[in-house]
Amino acid sequence: MNKALKNRIINSIELLPYGHDLYLHMARKRLGITYRGVYESFHQAQQQAISQLANEYDVINQNKGEHLEQEMPILDKRVLDIDYPLLFWLSRLMQPSQRLLELGGSIGQGFYSFEQYFPYPDGLQWVIAELPAAVEAGQKIAGQKTEARLSFIDSMDMGKENAVDIFMTAGTLQYMDTSIADTVSQLQQLPQHVLIHNLPAHPTEDFWTLQYLEVCEVPYHITSQAKLVSDMEKAGYRLVDSWKNPRRIEIPYHLETSVEHYHGFYFAVNDAT
């Protein structure tokens, strides 16, 4: 089928009632990352998923672990334009001998990449809390690099970690059935600084959908921006800065819930200087 004919067919579909929704559904595999359904909770979404296995997203981590030779050359080349607000605040907040806990740092891409832009202070301890397959792969790479500043723990064990100065998470909260306020409140003590990056957020609505990632389908949380800020304030934090980058999420037959931006936030504990 030539391109012109294909475009005419797509345009014809778009003109139908719910045509755009139908196109999104039909183009699911070609689009790569797509979404379906609107649900009130993680568990409700999980019940409707193609597979209901726990830690389904860890399939991606397992694939990385099985192809470490391909991951190694690009570990320190993962910074995008949208990451610069996060880099800015990290470069200002990091101090000698601090502990940084990163939730969902995969195999350490952030740790290896960000150092290309600013020097890490002496005595830094960077701990990544991840799913088991990422922990295993990350430890293997850190061992090969003899990197003593970086360590990995199972995300289920975060509450057992020693006190940390900075808590950071990027592109992870949307896969978790726990709010950021609850997550930091369960740590040994409140971190002085909390950095949230690359989070899909709606100005007011809070709901779950299903995200299709070719190798798996997982519950995906669209956070209410207003609720997140309110919950963090109740947990003892104040909002210092926020940022956003254009990235649209469209859910077929639920276009009223469309998301226009992914967001970032910097919260400081109320007594932080």
Side-chain angles (χ1 to χ4, degrees), residues 57-69:
Y57 190 75
D58 215 18
V59 171
I60 295 174
N61 294 323
Q62 290 170 358
N63 290 342
K64 289 179 181 178
E66 292 168 1
H67 300 90
L68 288 184
E69 69 282 355

Side-chain angles (χ1 to χ4, degrees), residues 2 13 30 73 172:
N2 63 49
I13 292 174
R30 185 174 62 80
T172 298

Side-chain angles (χ1 to χ4, degrees), residues 42-63:
F42 173 93
H43 297 291
Q44 189 181 87
Q46 190 175 48
Q47 288 175 354
Q48 300 301 317
I50 294 172
S51 173
Q52 297 179 26
L53 297 176
N55 287 347
E56 183 76 7
Y57 190 75
D58 215 18
V59 171
I60 295 174
N61 294 323
Q62 290 170 358
N63 290 342

Side-chain angles (χ1 to χ4, degrees), residues 36-172:
R36 69 179 181 92
V38 170
Y39 309 97
E40 294 181 359
S41 68
F42 173 93
H43 297 291
Q44 189 181 87
Q46 190 175 48
Q47 288 175 354
Q48 300 301 317
I50 294 172
S51 173
Q52 297 179 26
L53 297 176
N55 287 347
E56 183 76 7
Y57 190 75
D58 215 18
V59 171
I60 295 174
N61 294 323
Q62 290 170 358
N63 290 342
K64 289 179 181 178
E66 292 168 1
H67 300 90
L68 288 184
E69 69 282 355
Q70 298 174 17
E71 293 290 331
M72 292 283 281
I74 55 175
L75 266 179
D76 59 354
K77 299 176 176 62
R78 299 294 181 90
V79 175
L80 305 174
D81 289 348
I82 64 171
D83 295 327
Y84 278 89
L86 181 61
L87 286 169
F88 169 80
W89 281 113
L90 278 177
S91 68
R92 291 177 63 90
L93 296 176
M94 281 184 171
Q95 301 295 325
S97 302
Q98 280 186 333
R99 284 174 59 81
L100 182 152
L101 177 60
E102 181 183 7
L103 172 60
S106 189
I107 55 178
Q109 291 95 328
F111 171 84
Y112 296 112
S113 297
F114 295 170
E115 195 172 22
Q116 307 298 314
Y117 294 83
F118 62 92
Y120 293 159
D122 293 339
L124 173 70
Q125 298 177 60
W126 189 307
V127 183
I128 291 178
E130 256 292 359
L131 296 174
V135 170
E136 181 180 353
Q139 288 174 334
K140 186 177 295 185
I141 290 174
Q144 292 175 3
K145 289 178 169 287
T146 61
E147 179 53 74
R149 297 170 299 175
L150 180 63
S151 60
F152 293 80
I153 61 170
D154 191 305
S155 56
M156 297 296 291
D157 296 329
M158 279 197 306
K160 303 175 185 177
E161 271 295 290
N162 294 330
V164 298
D165 304 285
I166 301 173
F167 181 93
M168 180 179 81
T169 185
T172 298

